[in-house]
């Protein structure tokens, strides 16, 4: 029987040292961290090593009631999650505006497009129009595979859906139009290295 | 006796048409909106008119308890305000990364530096280092005057404070090193026009 973390990752037990394993095969994946954790760690690495300034935006909340119990502490007693009007991550890298969204799926053969909202697609379109760099990072939870897909390619699949086509991107399509991202130790997910390649920077 | 809105703005009554007033003197200020409202309206104008993609980040909240009353509604029952680790506004303008913070003071002769946090200054320093454009928009509530101050100039006053100097920027210093921003109808506060001038874009 397999154990799974709540985020869907397999529990693999303590890593067993394997002397026959070559250095190239070492896997840094499957450490029970979510994609968000991994990206936050990566962004912290980028910041600490003076590579880029990229942050995750806070979750948008609609605050309804705040209790000012004491002079210093305000306790939010009633609030609701709001839908984000932009993507989750943005920042600056060598003067360039970087903007992306990160999503996971438990599907194995395709990535459902309902992971994105209409206004997020709109937002990414605006970013691209204003010469920013926009993309999505997609993770297949069960196989722990990561891909970077340019926003321009995502728009293509989105339009296909709008025009009555399939409501997901097949994994084959992602492999063909996207770029594989590998886990490493520092940084966890070096997506900017792929961005540099993809956009010929 | 003067009336004030809760945000500190004077109530000026209904505007009286003055036929002797030249067009140049028409004031769009003092409409009871906060600086945040004005900037959100401005950013919405920039977006709608395809000028720039700049958004205010959501307020960072530490969520402690969420009540899942029904399948669809999650109610946050306990949460706390967290200090922002970055500035409030960022986005892209003609491929350029834009990053700023907006603050108000009821003081009339100086702008207290405790309106900013150490990590916000750090963040703006990183942005400048990575070739982004960083600045602050300062509002004197009582006179409803607005200024744009480049982050580089803010750093100077911040360092002066760190080195034992005054804990504020005098209004004279702001007038000299900053740039006056005027209210208009559309957009409310055309700060990008000043940015274009200040950074010779």
């Amino acid at each position: 029987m397999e154990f799974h973390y709540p985020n869907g990752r397999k529990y693999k037990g303590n890593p067993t040292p394997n002397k026959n394993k070559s250095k190239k095969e070492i896997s840094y994946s499957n450490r029970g961290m979510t994609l968000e954790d991994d990206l936050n760690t990566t962004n912290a690495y980028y910041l600490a090593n003076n590579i880029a300034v990229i942050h995750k935006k806070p979750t948008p909340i609609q605050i309804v009631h705040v209790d000012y119990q004491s002079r210093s502490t305000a306790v939010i007693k009633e609030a609701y999650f709001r839908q984000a009007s932009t993507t989750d991550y943005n920042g600056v890298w060598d003067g360039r505006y970087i903007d992306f969204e990160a999503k996971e799926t438990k599907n194995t053969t395709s990535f459902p497009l309902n992971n994105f909202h209409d206004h997020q697609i709109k937002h990414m379109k605006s970013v691209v129009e204003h010469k920013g760099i926009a993309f999505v990072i997609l993770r297949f939870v069960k196989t722990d595979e990561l891909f970077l897909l340019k926003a321009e390619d995502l728009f293509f699949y989105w339009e296909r859906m709008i025009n009555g086509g399939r409501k997901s991107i097949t994994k084959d399509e992602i492999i063909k139009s996207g770029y594989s991202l590998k886990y490493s130790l520092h940084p966890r997910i070096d997506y900017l290295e792929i961005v540099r390649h993809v956009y010929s920077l």
Side-chain angles (χ1 to χ4, degrees), chain A:
Chain A
M1 187 194 154
E2 273 177 351
F3 289 93
H4 285 83
Y5 282 104
N7 62 11
R9 290 198 179 189
K10 284 181 194 164
Y11 173 69
K12 290 200 164 174
N14 289 322
T16 319
N18 184 343
K19 281 174 187 169
N20 293 328
K21 221 176 179 180
S22 78
K23 211 187 171 186
K24 239 187 168 177
E25 283 167 31
I26 289 174
S27 168
Y28 294 107
S29 65
N30 280 318
R31 302 211 168 175
M33 289 171 85
T34 64
L35 180 54
E36 182 180 326
D37 289 336
D38 282 337
L39 289 170
N40 288 343
T41 306
T42 299
N43 290 336
Y45 175 90
Y46 285 152
L47 187 62
N49 290 275
N50 219 11
I51 294 165
V53 185
I54 297 166
H55 289 274
K56 183 178 182 294
K57 290 186 185 183
T59 307
I61 305 282
Q62 181 71 45
I63 298 168
V64 175
H65 179 63
V66 181
D67 192 354
Y68 296 92
Q69 293 176 319
S70 71
R71 277 171 299 177
S72 59
T73 319
V75 186
I76 299 161
K77 287 289 192 183
E78 188 187 352
Y80 299 88
F81 293 102
R82 283 191 296 134
Q83 217 175 53
S85 55
T86 66
T87 48
D88 269 0
Y89 300 85
N90 75 355
V92 60
W93 177 47
D94 195 22
R96 288 181 180 87
Y97 177 77
I98 302 289
D99 193 298
F100 67 97
E101 185 65 33
K103 291 289 182 193
E104 304 181 297
T105 185
K106 286 179 182 172
N107 286 16
T108 52
T109 56
S110 69
F111 206 96
L113 284 162
N114 64 6
N115 275 287
F116 303 98
H117 306 297
D118 186 49
H119 41 255
Q120 289 184 316
I121 301 289
K122 251 187 171 169
H123 170 72
M124 284 189 269
K125 282 188 177 169
S126 299
V127 167
V128 170
E129 211 175 323
H130 290 276
K131 303 179 203 163
I133 292 173
F135 54 88
V136 290
I137 292 176
L138 309 176
R139 177 170 172 246
F140 286 94
V141 171
K142 291 197 175 152
T143 51
D144 215 353
E145 289 168 286
L146 283 173
F147 295 93
L148 185 148
L149 190 68
K150 286 171 75 169
E152 291 87 335
D153 291 315
L154 178 64
F155 303 156
F156 170 81
Y157 298 116
W158 188 263
E159 297 303 328
R160 183 175 69 182
M161 176 183 71
I162 299 294
N163 294 323
R166 53 180 301 138
K167 292 184 171 64
S168 65
I169 318 171
T170 70
K171 192 164 171 188
D172 279 350
E173 288 171 336
I174 292 173
I175 290 169
K176 273 177 200 147
S177 56
Y179 301 83
S180 175
L181 282 169
K182 300 278 174 239
Y183 286 100
S184 58
L185 200 53
H186 300 298
R188 287 287 294 152
I189 301 170
D190 195 2
Y191 63 86
L192 286 180
E193 198 44 49
I194 300 294
V195 170
R196 190 191 300 278
H197 166 71
V198 171
Y199 295 86
S200 308
L201 303 175

